[in-house]
Amino acid sequence: GGPRIGELIVNIARRFNFKSGLLVNIFRQLPKYNKPFPCEDGRKPTLVFITFEADLSALLFMLYAGIVENTTREPLTYDELTLHNDEKAEIIFRYFDDLGWHVVLHHQNPMSWTYEHLFNFTEGLEKEGCRIVGLFADYLYQVPKTGCQVSQIIGEDTKTFYTRVRGYYKGRDTLVWTPHQMSVKARSVMDYNTGLLVENVVGKGMLEGCGSIDNCVDVEIYQHKETDRRTGMDALSLLRGKHKLEGEVPKEKLLAMLWFNQYRTTQSFYSGILDD
């Protein structure tokens, strides 16, 4: 199955391994393969993207480019590249609206927020009539861990932070998806062939800023760029570290994601997202 509603999913990779790009693509494709859930009281099924890193214009461009290029199957033309941000935004919102989803895009300086500000922001959207099905944050670790240092153990504040975020959104049946960075020492275990990434990094203190976030999140998806030594082709490898499943999950609690490349079925890598 796909991601469960109410799960906290963390995409883990080293720097410059396409964490933000993958997150934007998943955000764009989730409504493409999932009809909106029926909502009570006339609420709008909503997907939220908060960027704590790149400014809003960069997010608009990535979403716009993905929509256009996956529709035309051609690179952006000069005229498309130079389109004004207002026009890009109009195309983006129309894309989500045509699929039946309301979308909220927000840029935030992370240093002015804590997890409580994130929760207040969520409740503000709910008061405006949103039923937040998915919240994507690029990336959540940037938010200060104020109020989360409950002991002197290294990384405890990060674990507490993720645990509070997971608990809050699980109670709202909201999927949360965010990247997290590996430390530079993870490079030493990356020089091998396909398939061993999870075995080589899990539980070995490879996450930036903390020893481990095990048991704080529902799913850890490790990603990195690989090169097929036989063909020389590059691919983005995705490996699932764990997946908690509490009993049988009803269909309305699942979101479909397609994790294989259907356009190049002869290549040795089956990773990435379908329409890319």
Side-chain angles (χ1 to χ4, degrees):
R4 275 76 171 164
I5 298 302
E7 283 184 331
L8 171 58
I9 298 180
V10 175
N11 258 74
I12 302 169
R14 287 184 296 147
R15 295 177 64 194
F16 311 122
N17 267 249
F18 202 57
K19 293 191 297 294
S20 297
L22 181 65
L23 190 73
V24 171
N25 281 351
I26 292 171
F27 179 77
R28 171 177 57 81
Q29 293 169 44
L30 206 63
K32 183 174 180 179
Y33 302 116
N34 295 273
K35 293 181 179 179
F37 299 155
C39 298
E40 298 178 357
D41 305 324
R43 290 180 175 272
K44 300 171 287 190
T46 303
L47 296 173
V48 179
F49 196 108
I50 303 175
T51 171
F52 292 106
E53 280 204 306
D55 59 29
L56 209 52
S57 62
L59 174 60
L60 288 173
F61 177 79
M62 285 192 285
L63 283 170
Y64 162 76
I67 291 168
V68 174
E69 291 186 342
N70 282 284
T71 300
T72 64
R73 290 289 169 187
E74 298 289 341
L76 293 176
T77 65
Y78 176 79
D79 288 342
E80 290 167 336
L81 280 168
T82 55
L83 205 64
H84 192 275
N85 277 341
D86 288 345
E87 295 175 279
K88 291 175 186 173
E90 184 179 342
I91 291 171
I92 292 165
F93 285 106
R94 186 167 63 244
Y95 166 85
F96 283 92
D97 189 61
D98 288 346
L99 294 170
W101 291 85
H102 180 63
V103 65
V104 175
L105 307 178
H106 180 75
H107 173 259
Q108 181 65 43
N109 176 0
M111 301 311 294
S112 62
W113 266 22
T114 66
Y115 68 90
E116 290 183 336
H117 292 93
L118 178 66
F119 298 168
N120 291 338
F121 176 79
T122 298
E123 290 166 22
L125 292 176
E126 290 174 342
K127 289 177 182 177
E128 294 174 7
C130 295
R131 158 66 172 101
I132 303 176
V133 177
L135 185 145
F136 292 68
D138 187 29
Y139 54 97
L140 207 52
Y141 185 71
Q142 294 277 42
V143 177
K145 313 302 178 294
T146 307
C148 295
Q149 189 69 53
V150 295
S151 74
Q152 298 304 309
I153 299 173
I154 295 175
E156 191 69 24
D157 57 341
T158 298
K159 293 182 182 181
T160 302
F161 176 77
Y162 277 124
T163 299
R164 290 178 179 175
V165 169
R166 176 182 179 268
Y168 178 85
Y169 287 104
K170 191 175 184 66
R172 283 171 156 70
D173 267 350
T174 296
L175 170 73
V176 179
W177 204 310
T178 184
H180 191 99
Q181 191 164 299
M182 283 187 193
S183 64
V184 292
K185 63 182 180 180
R187 182 184 301 272
S188 61
V189 299
M190 297 296 184
D191 188 23
Y192 50 76
N193 243 329
T194 306
L196 301 176
L197 179 63
V198 173
E199 295 176 23
N200 279 269
V201 299
V202 170
K204 297 183 180 177
M206 297 298 182
L207 302 184
E208 191 70 39
C210 65
S212 173
I213 55 174
D214 291 344
N215 303 320
C216 298
V217 301
D218 297 288
V219 185
E220 294 176 1
I221 297 175
Y222 294 81
Q223 67 185 75
H224 69 124
K225 291 178 286 190
E226 295 189 32
T227 301
D228 187 319
R229 293 174 179 172
R230 182 175 57 84
T231 65
M233 291 181 63
D234 293 325
L236 187 69
S237 177
L238 302 173
L239 297 106
R240 191 174 68 191
K242 62 180 179 180
H243 203 148
K244 296 179 182 176
L245 181 57
E246 300 171 2
E248 188 170 338
V249 181
K251 287 184 179 179
E252 64 270 16
K253 299 290 184 179
L254 286 171
L255 290 166
M257 287 303 302
L258 301 171
W259 291 105
F260 57 91
N261 187 332
Q262 200 172 38
Y263 295 102
R264 293 183 180 175
T265 54
T266 56
Q267 74 184 58
S268 57
F269 292 99
Y270 291 88
S271 61
I273 304 297
L274 176 63
D275 61 14
D276 291 296

